Structures are given as C-alpha cells and as structure tokens.
Amino acid sequence: MTDYLNHFIAGESASASDGRRMELIDPVTEHVYASAARGTVEDVARAVAAAHGQLEGGPWSQLSGAQRGRLLARLADLVERDSEQLADMDASAIGRSPMEPRRMDLPNAIANLRAAAGWANQLEGRTIPTGGYFGSPTLSYTVREPVGVVGAIMPWNSPLMITVWKLAALLAAGCTVVIKPSEETPQSALHLAALAQEAGFPDGVINVVTGYGNEVGRALCEHPHVAKISFTGSPEAGREIQRTAGVLFKRVALELGGKSPQIVCEDAVFEDAVRGCALGLFANQGQVCAAGSRILVHSSIAQRFAAALADAAQSVNVGDPRQDGVQMGPVAKKAQFERVNRYIQLGIDQGATLLAGGVSQHERGWFVRPTIFTDARNDMAIAQDEIFGPVGTIITFDTEAQAIALANDSSYGLAATVWTTNLVRAHRIAAAVKAGAVGINCWSPLDANLPWGGIKTSGIGREGGISGALAYTEEKVITVLLPS
Ligand code: NAD
C-alpha cells in the first residue's frame, strides 16, 4: 500500500490535469512507497489564479499585519503539535535519521513562524524629507507592499525547514504562494498547507503543486502573475531559473550550494574543532548546503587532526536510520550515490590520500561510507566542487594569510567556520573571508532572527530575520503636495 499524494490548490486536493503521477522511492529499501500528482502547466495556472485572487481583493488582502501575525502564530502551534510526524516524513523520504530533523529542522521552523508572526506587524515605511515641489512643501512617505504571488521552488535535503523559511517571511509580508516541493519530498509541504488551512488561512493563500522542475518549476517561472521566484537548490537549476524569470523581470532570490571552509588554527580547542568539523561533514549525510567540506588545518596540527577526523568518520554507525543506534542513513537517491562515488574516485585519481571511507559498493540502499581525504590541494575537484555527500577534504596551511587565501579560492561563498581561541584573530579572519555567514567556534549556527544566504555561486538574496520578510515587499513612495 503506497501513499497517494495530490496537489493542494485553493484549499482542495487535486490530481494532475492529465492524471499523470510520479513515484517516490525509499532510499533505504529502494521500494516505491508513495506516488504524487505530476503537475502540468494547467495545474500551475489554477494554483497561481487562486493565489492571485487572494491578493486582488480576496479576504487575505483585507487582513492587517497583526491579523496575519495571529494566523502565523496559530500555524506555529500546529506545526509544533505535529512536529514528530513532520520530522519523520522528511527523514524517511531521504533516508535521514529522524533525530536530526526533530532536534534541528522542526525547532528552527517553529521559531521562524513565531518570529514571522511578529514581523508581520513591523514592516514599517519611512517619512522622507524632500526639497518640495516647484516651491511648495510636500510630505513624502513610503509603505511596504507585498511583492505579489511567489513561486517557491524547494530542494529535498531539509524540505520542511527550508519551505518554512520562505513561507513565514512571505506570509508576514502579505504575499501568497505556490510551493513546488522537490519531486523527492512533497509530503511535508502538503501537510504544512493542510495545517495552514486548519489555522484559518484563507484558501488560495498557500498552494502546493507537486511535480518535476522542468515542468512545474518552469511553468512557475514563466507565469505572468508570479511576481517573485524564491529558489533553493543547485547552481545549475538556479542559472536556468534566473534566465527564464529574468526575461520577465520577476524578482528572483537564489539560495544555492556551497563548498564551505572550516579553518582550524593551531590554537583551536582540538576536541571541539574535531567534533564541529565532523558535524559539519556528516550531518544529513553531508547533504547540507552549508556543509563544512573543506577542512583547512594549520600544518603543525594537521597530522593529528586528520587522524582524529578519520576516527570520527570510522565511528559513524551507517545503516537503516529507523533502527536504534544508527547515526547515518543512505544518501537520498541513486543519482546522489553515483555522484558522491564519482568524486571519491576522482579524489583518489587526482592524488589525495584516502584516510577513511572510500568508494562504496551498491547492495540495497544508497549507503555511502563517511570519507576523509588528506594531502589534498585546493585546485582538486574534491576541494572545488560541491559533492553533497559525507566527504571531507583536508588541506594544510602555514600562515593566517594562506588560510584566508585558500578559504576564498572558491567559486562559492555561503558559509565558513573559524576554530581558534584567539578572538582577535577570529574576528580578523571572519572579516576577510568572503561568505554570507561565518561561525566562530561553531559550525553553521541557524536562528530565526539571523539572515541566511550566500555570495558568488552560492546565490542572491537573504532569507531569515526581518530582512528576509522585507525581501518579499516592494517599497512604494507617496508624495502629497502641501500648498500654503
Ligand atoms: P535541484 O536544483 O536539483 O532542485 C531544486 C528544485 O528545483 C527542485 O524542486 C527541482 O524540481 C527544481 N528545478 C530543477 N530544475 C528546474 C528548472 N529548470 N526550473 C525550475 N525548477 C527547477 O537541487 P536539489 O538537488 O533539490 O538540492 C540540492 C542543492 O540545493 C545543492 O546544491 C544544495 O547546496 C542546495 N541547497 C542550498 C541551500 C541554501 O540555503 N543555500 C539549502 C539547501 C540546499
């Protein structure tokens, strides 16, 4: 018996206009465990019409910020009520241990919804002094208006949490949305939309159309009533989306990948740095945009550090994440398994030393062994490309300047970590590293009040914090003539 998932459009479950479906595969057993509607251009048009109608005089457009905030707070309570179910849905869809989303993704999502409940009533304009108008004084002020209908295109690695980052902010701003979940993980977005209905959001404010990127995703980018595309995923898809949406002058926010450095100085607290680097490499099987996959270590401690990190890799219990004591499940899908193994082989071929793990044989389930390379150079593929799997590459440095140069020698710029007990040095390195977020003695801290996003190939725009909500608004200026 498999789950039978449909779109959620204008408050109702709907199958695809042509009745077609797509299968969802369990990465542990490789069995089909669910099917979902395979969305069409017509499905997207219906969902966008529902979302657009709510902005053009529908009940949603009449609500004040405070009223939107109350709905968001109610949604936060409902997500909290169903948090174990939501965490388990996301975990089993990609073979992740359910403990990770229970401890990290769900608390973060709930906090985001609660924070956004407050932002909804705080999106203020300004009064701006001007030189007047042909000799008469004027009063000029700005208001923040919702951008419009948002097309939210989602990845599979932390589906609910990343969907909520977008949803919380755009609802606070007064927008409506059509969510296109990843083809691998539509369940939690559908459950979230049903919870929003239970919270009292008017039908049509939140719609979910399941399906493939080149069908549903593309149709959203091309639809004239979608004002903004908010995308999280790979640089390849991001480039394509920007090309399509850019021609129509849509607003585009892109949260893309990373190859984030973890700089371990000789004066770091050794055990903390090893633990933090292991977390940054192996959480969610390394399928994390902020994965700290380039470990830059001072040469004086490099050998000891590499040995300790290899021990940490070897001690990870890999298996069926539904069983007690298992810390790491398979990677999410076949393509990911092949990609990760291809990079491990490339690392070996290009001359890096394999300290732990290695190319994995396929039996049943897409399991990859945690892998550590040392004696690597920063120009190797394993140091430059986002592998999106549990693979770490250790590179040594002798001076702080070298560490910074290595950290910045990347096409990505999402996150970075500095491990040191010298706080002056920590701030100096944090200032010099080109990245959207830097953790000092902590890998990838996330908080509902902190903006998140990257530079260079890691993307355009920020989510999170009040700046995340402001990104879903347009600033309108109004000037009134005040004749004497
Ligand atoms: P992906 O780019 O393959 O797919 C992401 C989404 O885009 C999916 O819903 C897919 O169907 C859709 N899509 C694909 N091609 C499209 C197109 N041409 N037009 C419209 N939509 C299209 O990425 P993925 O494999 O789901 O996720 C992994 C990537 O996401 C990694 O690179 C990772 O670093 C990145 N990511 C970034 C962040 C961040 O915050 N920066 C967070 C999570 C994941």
Side-chain angles (χ1 to χ4, degrees):
M1 182 65 183
T2 57
D3 284 342
Y4 194 85
L5 307 168
N6 272 330
H7 307 316
F8 186 85
I9 300 177
E12 289 179 2
S13 169
S15 47
S17 61
D18 60 7
R20 286 203 292 173
R21 303 193 63 75
M22 56 185 193
E23 290 181 334
L24 276 64
I25 313 273
D26 182 328
V28 177
T29 63
E30 297 178 47
H31 292 150
V32 174
Y33 71 94
S35 78
R38 177 172 169 177
T40 63
V41 172
E42 291 74 31
D43 301 334
V44 169
R46 282 186 51 222
V48 173
H52 193 241
Q54 280 295 340
L55 290 173
E56 296 295 313
W60 176 249
S61 66
Q62 312 299 317
L63 297 185
S64 66
Q67 288 168 317
R68 293 199 305 274
R70 276 202 288 280
L71 290 173
L72 276 159
R74 242 180 261 155
L75 179 58
D77 291 344
L78 295 175
V79 171
E80 191 165 47
R81 183 194 71 191
D82 289 0
S83 58
E84 287 211 354
Q85 192 185 349
L86 285 160
D88 292 356
M89 260 178 207
D90 270 7
S92 65
I94 62 164
R96 186 182 188 189
S97 162
M99 294 318 293
E100 284 185 358
R102 283 186 198 182
R103 278 201 213 114
M104 297 191 286
D105 299 30
L106 266 295
N108 178 280
I110 295 160
N112 259 274
L113 288 164
R114 295 209 165 112
W119 303 329
N121 209 19
Q122 291 175 44
L123 304 177
E124 297 166 343
R126 301 177 290 154
T127 53
I128 304 174
T130 69
Y133 182 78
F134 292 109
S136 291
T138 53
L139 169 67
S140 290
Y141 61 95
T142 64
V143 289
R144 291 276 177 179
E145 296 186 338
V147 161
V149 177
V150 177
I153 303 179
M154 310 306 313
W156 46 260
N157 60 334
S158 277
L160 181 94
M161 181 179 80
I162 298 175
T163 302
V164 166
W165 288 356
K166 299 187 191 308
L167 192 68
L170 69 90
L171 293 173
C175 298
T176 57
V177 66
V178 179
I179 299 169
K180 188 242 160 296
S182 166
E183 41 274 52
E184 275 84 23
T185 53
Q187 297 99 314
S188 58
L190 289 164
H191 192 84
L192 188 63
L195 291 183
Q197 189 177 45
E198 185 181 341
F201 281 87
D203 291 343
V205 172
I206 300 161
N207 307 275
V208 180
V209 178
T210 59
Y212 292 113
N214 58 4
E215 296 173 349
V216 176
R218 184 187 301 270
L220 277 171
C221 295
E222 288 176 345
H223 197 293
H225 283 161
V226 172
K228 174 167 178 167
I229 295 291
S230 181
F231 170 76
T232 299
S234 62
E236 295 74 26
R239 202 170 279 125
E240 172 84 22
I241 284 167
Q242 190 158 29
R243 257 199 300 267
T244 313
V247 175
L248 298 165
F249 303 113
K250 293 185 193 307
R251 277 74 185 121
V252 177
L254 303 172
E255 298 286 344
L256 309 175
K259 191 72 191 177
S260 299
Q262 298 228 39
I263 300 173
V264 185
C265 300
E266 67 279 18
D267 58 3
V269 178
F270 192 85
E271 293 72 23
D272 289 356
V274 172
R275 212 175 308 117
C277 287
L279 178 68
L281 284 172
F282 305 137
N284 201 0
Q285 289 89 279
Q287 300 165 130
V288 178
C289 54
S293 50
R294 276 192 307 147
I295 316 280
L296 312 179
V297 189
H298 191 269
S299 51
S300 64
I301 58 165
Q303 216 176 348
R304 193 158 73 95
F305 195 85
L309 205 52
D311 278 352
Q314 272 147 358
S315 70
V316 175
N317 189 2
V318 181
D320 181 342
R322 287 167 279 226
Q323 285 172 6
D324 281 350
V326 170
Q327 293 153 310
M328 188 189 279
V331 295
K333 51 185 174 174
K334 181 169 183 242
Q336 226 22 59
F337 178 82
E338 289 169 350
R339 176 186 172 89
V340 177
N341 275 323
R342 200 165 54 244
Y343 273 106
I344 294 174
Q345 189 58 54
L346 251 179
I348 297 167
D349 294 347
Q350 292 186 344
T353 305
L354 188 66
L355 274 190
V359 174
S360 295
Q361 296 308 312
H362 175 234
E363 288 167 15
R364 198 170 64 159
W366 307 114
F367 295 97
V368 174
R369 289 180 291 156
T371 296
I372 299 293
F373 280 107
T374 189
D375 302 326
R377 292 189 322 272
N378 204 45
D379 62 354
M380 289 178 174
I382 52 169
Q384 285 296 319
D385 297 353
E386 184 184 44
I387 300 174
F388 225 51
V391 183
T393 301
I394 297 175
I395 299 165
T396 55
F397 66 85
D398 293 317
T399 66
E400 188 180 309
Q402 271 176 4
I404 292 165
L406 283 168
N408 290 340
D409 180 16
S410 170
S411 61
Y412 291 104
L414 187 59
T417 312
V418 189
W419 298 96
T420 176
T421 46
N422 179 339
L423 282 183
V424 173
R425 167 192 268 181
H427 288 291
R428 201 164 51 219
I429 295 176
V433 168
K434 297 190 190 318
V438 181
I440 296 175
N441 295 325
C442 52
W443 170 72
S444 194
L446 284 180
D447 187 281
N449 288 326
L450 296 177
W452 177 254
I455 59 172
K456 301 193 274 183
T457 306
S458 294
I460 297 172
R462 294 292 178 273
E463 303 194 291
I466 196 157
S467 40
L470 288 172
Y472 288 101
T473 65
E474 296 284 7
E475 191 174 33
K476 179 188 272 181
V477 63
I478 297 167
T479 297
V480 57
L481 192 67
L482 302 172
S484 45

